[in-house]
Amino acid sequence: MRVTQAMLSSNMLRNLSTSYNKMGKLQNQIETGKKVNRPSDDPVVAMKGIGYRTALEKVEQFQRNIGEVNNWLDSSDDAFDKVGSALQRANELAVKAASETTTVDDRQKVLSELDQLRQHIQNIANTKVGDKYIFSGTKTTTALFDEKSGGYPTTNIDAFNKDVEIEVFDGITLKVNTNAIDVFKNIDQMFADIKEGNVNYSEAIGKIDEQMNEILTTRADIGARQNRVELMNDRLQSQEVIATKQMSENEDVDMEKAITEMITQESIHRAALSVGARIIQPSLVDFLR
């Protein structure tokens, strides 16, 4: 086969262009720190990167969900802590009123304070996280205690007892609300019985103790769920580290290797330019020198 000057020149220019492209790609990798800057650089790496990034985004969303779960549980626990404190004060007042040395005027003052404690607990029943009532089951836009009617729901009770669940992992949901309508209704009825004289103060002490035990049971359930949330959060943090590492190993460039390849490619490119200058056919001016 006859090799012409045009063929030599064409091959030289094509090889120089390829060399420029390789240096350009290496330069982009060094500047961005990434193996691929467009899918065409390496489709396999690009597709894996999409998968790893999707997994990481899901973990981050679940972590945000965990934060919402903590808001509900912490608010519920704090609310029942306040209810427990109110019942403790009610117990002290009942013990005082049950004493034979307590006057009629003193008992009236006790009734007045018990009424304030009752209203305080009614307000706690309407605790909100953001714009949602946390003790109203799935009817999160409806207050558990209706201040206008002065009572708790008597219809559609099932909706107020339904669980509110939030997804915290693939296929795993956690109950975030506390079905407390019966707890609050029983406490309110107890205060009503004391006010109306349906129970004497000695009996009231036992009734209050029963409600305090119910509050402790409710808080124990909340605490158990809080512990599980901590375990799920630890698991999500581990998944975040794993997903981030996988994405980094897939996409991040080995900087030392890339710089070494860049230096090598520059040397090859200079050699190609030097050889190419000798291949190009001399011009008429070169012959006249």
Side-chain angles (χ1 to χ4, degrees):
M1 183 182 70
R2 181 169 175 268
V3 179
T4 66
Q5 182 66 37
M7 292 174 61
L8 291 174
S9 299
S10 177
N11 287 337
M12 182 200 70
L13 293 173
R14 184 174 62 254
N15 291 332
L16 287 177
S17 178
T18 301
S19 180
Y20 273 122
N21 288 334
K22 288 182 179 179
M23 286 196 297
K25 182 177 180 180
L26 289 169
Q27 184 179 6
N28 285 335
Q29 289 180 350
I30 294 170
E31 290 175 350
T32 63
K34 300 295 182 181
K35 293 179 183 177
V36 295
N37 291 287
R38 59 178 66 87
S40 59
D41 290 340
D42 192 326
V44 175
V45 171
M47 289 300 297
K48 286 184 177 180
I50 293 173
Y52 293 140
R53 190 168 283 101
T54 300
L56 184 59
E57 288 174 354
K58 288 179 67 175
V59 169
E60 291 172 347
Q61 179 60 56
F62 289 142
Q63 288 177 324
R64 288 191 289 272
N65 291 353
I66 284 285
E68 182 70 7
V69 172
N70 279 324
N71 285 340
W72 279 67
L73 294 179
D74 291 346
S75 297
S76 298
D77 186 56
D78 180 68
F80 282 110
D81 178 59
K82 299 298 187 295
V83 172
S85 297
L87 290 176
Q88 180 61 43
R89 178 56 182 165
N91 184 70
E92 294 171 0
L93 291 171
V95 170
K96 179 180 179 180
S99 174
E100 295 181 356
T101 60
T102 304
T103 65
V104 174
D105 185 53
D106 288 338
R107 287 193 176 94
Q108 190 60 41
K109 292 177 181 177
V110 166
L111 281 175
S112 179
E113 186 171 351
L114 285 174
D115 189 56
Q116 291 299 314
L117 291 172
R118 180 185 183 185
Q119 293 180 41
H120 176 59
I121 293 175
Q122 289 169 352
N123 292 335
I124 293 174
N126 290 340
T127 299
K128 298 173 73 175
V129 169
D131 58 350
K132 298 178 180 179
Y133 293 97
I134 62 177
F135 297 129
S136 296
T138 54
K139 295 178 72 66
T140 55
T141 59
T142 304
L144 185 61
F145 179 79
D146 189 345
E147 296 181 359
K148 291 182 179 180
S149 65
Y152 292 92
T154 56
T155 59
N156 297 325
I157 302 299
D158 290 342
F160 287 93
N161 276 321
K162 284 185 178 179
D163 296 342
V164 177
E165 298 183 336
I166 294 178
E167 188 176 17
V168 295
F169 210 78
D170 281 327
I172 299 176
T173 59
L174 290 181
K175 175 184 173 184
V176 298
N177 68 316
T178 300
N179 307 120
I181 184 171
D182 291 335
V183 174
F184 283 110
K185 288 178 73 173
N186 291 338
I187 292 174
D188 198 66
Q189 185 60 51
M190 178 196 70
F191 278 110
D193 289 340
I194 295 173
K195 182 178 181 179
E196 295 168 5
N198 295 332
V199 296
N200 60 43
Y201 284 107
S202 295
E203 294 173 331
I205 294 172
K207 297 287 186 181
I208 294 171
D209 284 340
E210 289 178 7
Q211 298 307 318
M212 291 179 68
N213 288 334
E214 187 65 28
I215 293 298
L216 290 175
T217 301
T218 302
R219 293 191 67 186
D221 173 67
I222 294 173
R225 284 183 282 151
Q226 286 175 318
N227 290 336
R228 187 181 178 191
V229 169
E230 289 182 7
L231 293 174
M232 291 304 303
N233 190 44
D234 290 341
R235 184 179 178 185
L236 283 173
Q237 289 180 352
S238 297
Q239 289 295 315
E240 181 182 22
V241 171
I242 292 171
T244 301
K245 181 180 179 181
Q246 289 176 330
M247 189 169 67
S248 176
E249 291 177 347
N250 180 66
E251 297 180 1
D252 291 350
V253 70
D254 184 338
M255 197 61 69
E256 293 182 0
K257 181 180 178 182
I259 292 174
T260 300
E261 289 181 355
M262 183 67 176
I263 294 172
T264 302
Q265 190 60 40
E266 286 179 344
S267 299
I268 294 172
H269 187 71
R270 289 194 185 95
L273 287 173
S274 177
V275 171
R278 301 185 182 206
I279 292 176
I280 296 176
Q281 186 175 3
S283 65
L284 178 60
V285 176
D286 292 319
F287 283 112
L288 295 176
R289 288 178 178 173

